[in-house]
Every structure is written in structure tokens, then in C-alpha cells.
Amino acid sequence: MSGAKVVLIVDVQNIKDKDIFEKHLKREGLKKVENEDFAYEGEAHTHIFNTRAYILDVVSKGLSKTSFDSCKIIFQIGENPVEAYIYEKMKKEFRQAEV
């Protein structure tokens, strides 16, 4: 399977330690898009379902390392449609949202 480009945009409100969050994403293979706040890119080499689960898990773990008020993400894997998710802090998980 050849790599598919992954683009991730994070809308996080009042994050306490952005550096810790971004270091976690970088360690997990998502690099910051230059001159863009909370925009990241990477490359996927697994099936879309595995890549989706990986993205949601990586962002969740990054959020758990700092405090914040709310978080929404959108991402695109290769040529697939854009997906949107909202983080539910009480459940500590993402739920799919309308794009």
C-alpha cells in the first residue's frame, strides 16, 4: 500500500500547554504545517479505518497531557472525504460531527 497524505486541523480552545500537545503529535508522525496554527500533516500506510482510529487516538492522548476547554478536529486521508469530530471531555473521546 502506498502512502496517503494526511492533513489534520485542530480547533482547540484555551489549551494550557500547546508545546506538549505538538511534541506528542510530532512524536507520533504528524508534523506541524509551517506558518499555520494547529495544522499538521503526515503520511498513512494503513487502511483508512486504521488511520482514522490512529488519528483520533493520537489527538486524544495529546489532549490528555494538558488542559483545554474544548476541541474539534477535521482531517482528510488521501482523496477521501473530509471528516470532522468533536471531543467529549466527560467521555474522553471523539464523536463524529457534520462537515
Side-chain angles (χ1 to χ4, degrees):
M1 171 182 252
S2 64
K5 183 175 181 177
V6 174
V7 177
L8 168 68
I9 308 295
V10 180
D11 178 10
V12 61
Q13 301 300 309
N14 298 320
I15 191 166
K16 183 177 180 179
D17 198 330
K18 181 180 175 185
D19 287 338
I20 288 175
F21 177 75
E22 289 189 330
K23 284 179 185 176
H24 175 76
L25 267 56
K26 183 178 180 181
R27 244 187 334 270
E28 296 297 333
L30 293 166
K31 61 183 178 184
K32 187 170 176 10
V33 175
E34 197 171 318
N35 299 322
E36 295 292 334
D37 259 356
F38 293 107
Y40 310 92
E41 60 186 3
E43 194 167 312
H45 296 280
T46 61
H47 192 275
I48 186 171
F49 297 113
N50 295 345
T51 302
R52 178 187 301 118
Y54 183 75
I55 292 167
L56 297 174
D57 185 60
V58 165
V59 176
S60 291
K61 286 181 180 173
L63 291 171
S64 73
K65 296 174 182 275
T66 187
S67 65
F68 62 98
D69 289 342
S70 65
C71 181
K72 300 175 193 171
I73 64 172
I74 59 170
F75 60 84
Q76 185 173 22
I77 302 166
E79 298 297 318
N80 293 290
V82 171
E83 298 182 40
Y85 291 84
I86 297 171
Y87 191 75
E88 294 187 359
K89 286 181 79 172
M90 297 297 285
K91 293 182 179 181
K92 296 183 180 179
E93 64 185 29
F94 281 99
R95 70 171 166 82
Q96 194 161 16
E98 299 276 328
V99 177

